[in-house]
Amino acid sequence: MGHALVPSHPVHEAMLFLAQRLEEKSNGQIIVKVYPNQQLGTERELVELLQIGSLGMTKVSSAALEGFAPTMKVLGMPYLFRDDEHLNKVLKGEIGKQLLQDPEEFWLRGLCYYDAGKRSFYTKEKPVESPEDLSGLKVRVMESAVASNMVKSMGGSPTPVAYGELYTALQQGIVDGAENNPPSLYTSKHYEVCKYYSIDEHTALPDVVIVSTKVWNSLSEQEQQWLQEAADESAELQYKIWAEATEESLNELKKAGVQISYPDKGPFREAVSSMYEDLKVQSPEIYQLVQAIRAIQ
């Protein structure tokens, strides 16, 4: 199991727990080795390794799956979820379950979601208090058409950079800022370069634990059940660790001299409203999913 985050990240701890539980459930028949920090490749490379069966499992942002399972795009739409309760209802309900299965035709099977909090902008030179402040700024985004369109809609210049190369890209001025959740900003040490964190919480993209269908199909029903149970248990733990890590990270960022602000979300919401109009025309299927998600009470 490979992933792109550092070993101190709460997601890594959850994956180690998954490996431990699977070993216990299978009486040592199934051993998972976890490789953090892009040791086995970038998020995109890890997904491609799963497709050919060279790697068993990975954890990626749902945004990284857009190119492999188009319906995943819906989770990256900005300001789609009303609050955490709404998000959790969607992920644990029929829509969430279906989205995990959609990548199967691309040799990928979603096992569970991990909490990846909410993403906000962090910058080097000035805080982002309104969409106008993004004008002229090169903002690092994941390899995601939705993330790129969002930054464009707000007036910034989206620049895809691999997560492991972002620190250097910020230092060298290849990008002026990025967007991510508090634990990622803290554990990546990007705050050493970016001293402004504007909590606009534009997206609530979950992480997805995925297994190669080549590996999944090689398991017996009993082994599949063990793996699914271990993944579900690791997700429960991860949600708890995540909440603690978010609070702790914000405290540590303040101590490190990062200026944290909470801009009015209204103008940001307004700036991206055109994305939903475009979706209606360009991707009616995804727009229907948006409507279904909004209807969940």
Side-chain angles (χ1 to χ4, degrees):
M1 185 170 190
H3 68 93
L5 301 169
V6 293
S8 57
H9 200 286
V11 163
H12 181 66
E13 197 177 324
M15 287 189 226
L16 293 178
F17 181 76
L18 186 159
Q20 178 198 330
R21 290 298 291 131
L22 185 53
E23 189 175 340
E24 287 166 4
K25 285 173 186 290
S26 68
N27 286 325
Q29 290 175 51
I30 309 178
I31 305 290
V32 177
K33 287 182 181 164
V34 183
Y35 295 86
N37 222 8
Q38 290 193 174
Q39 283 177 46
L40 304 182
T42 63
E43 282 208 332
R44 185 175 186 85
E45 288 163 349
L46 293 172
V47 174
E48 287 167 352
L49 287 170
L50 252 71
Q51 289 183 302
I52 56 175
S54 298
L55 181 65
M57 295 166 70
T58 186
K59 181 288 314 169
V60 291
S61 167
S62 55
L65 284 175
E66 283 175 24
F68 302 93
T71 50
M72 278 285 175
K73 283 180 188 167
V74 75
L75 295 176
M77 290 299 287
Y79 300 109
L80 173 61
F81 301 103
R82 292 187 297 276
D83 49 31
D84 289 345
E85 189 187 353
H86 182 213
L87 171 64
N88 288 332
K89 271 188 184 168
V90 171
L91 296 184
K92 287 177 179 163
E94 287 312 307
I95 293 174
K97 286 174 188 161
Q98 185 57 51
L99 287 173
L100 287 177
Q101 288 167 22
D102 284 350
E104 283 204 23
E105 61 180 298
F106 304 97
W107 307 287
L108 307 165
R109 180 187 174 88
L111 290 172
C112 65
Y113 297 101
Y114 279 175
D115 192 355
K118 297 181 188 69
R119 299 176 77 91
S120 298
F121 293 108
Y122 53 87
T123 41
K124 287 166 67 173
E125 302 299 333
K126 60 174 185 178
V128 177
E129 295 300 312
S130 69
E132 286 74 28
D133 291 331
L134 287 165
S135 179
L137 292 190
K138 296 190 291 291
V139 180
R140 179 267 176 176
V141 290
M142 291 178 282
E143 276 193 51
S144 150
V146 177
S148 289
N149 289 341
M150 178 192 71
V151 169
K152 262 189 215 149
S153 301
M154 292 181 183
S157 301
T159 310
V161 175
Y163 187 70
E165 294 156 23
L166 181 50
Y167 190 100
T168 312
L170 286 162
Q171 264 185 327
Q172 294 175 350
I174 294 164
V175 288
D176 305 303
E179 46 89 53
N180 218 321
N181 51 57
S184 294
L185 172 55
Y186 178 59
T187 57
S188 63
K189 294 191 162 46
H190 294 166
Y191 65 86
E192 293 175 352
V193 189
C194 295
K195 290 298 181 186
Y196 299 97
Y197 194 27
S198 309
I199 311 274
D200 68 303
E201 299 185 321
H202 43 256
T203 48
L205 284 159
D207 279 342
V208 188
V209 176
I210 49 176
V211 60
S212 163
T213 54
K214 299 199 173 190
V215 171
W216 178 261
N217 295 334
S218 73
L219 301 176
S220 68
E221 266 186 52
Q222 176 64 76
E223 289 166 339
Q224 288 176 349
Q225 188 185 332
W226 287 332
L227 175 52
Q228 187 62 61
E229 284 173 3
D232 291 339
E233 287 173 27
S234 78
E236 267 182 58
L237 173 75
Q238 193 271 342
Y239 268 71
K240 283 189 197 120
I241 306 170
W242 186 265
E244 291 159 13
T246 299
E247 197 176 328
E248 186 193 334
S249 299
L250 286 169
N251 288 335
E252 292 298 328
L253 290 168
K254 281 177 196 161
K255 281 186 208 164
V258 175
Q259 186 183 310
I260 297 174
S261 58
Y262 294 84
D264 177 9
K265 293 178 188 177
F268 291 93
R269 254 196 206 100
E270 188 57 39
V272 296
S273 58
S274 61
M275 287 178 68
Y276 287 94
E277 293 308 309
D278 294 344
L279 201 61
K280 205 187 285 189
V281 179
Q282 293 162 6
S283 304
E285 181 199 1
I286 308 286
Y287 188 73
Q288 279 181 328
L289 261 178
V290 164
Q291 297 296 75
I293 286 169
R294 284 176 168 167
I296 289 171
Q297 294 302 319

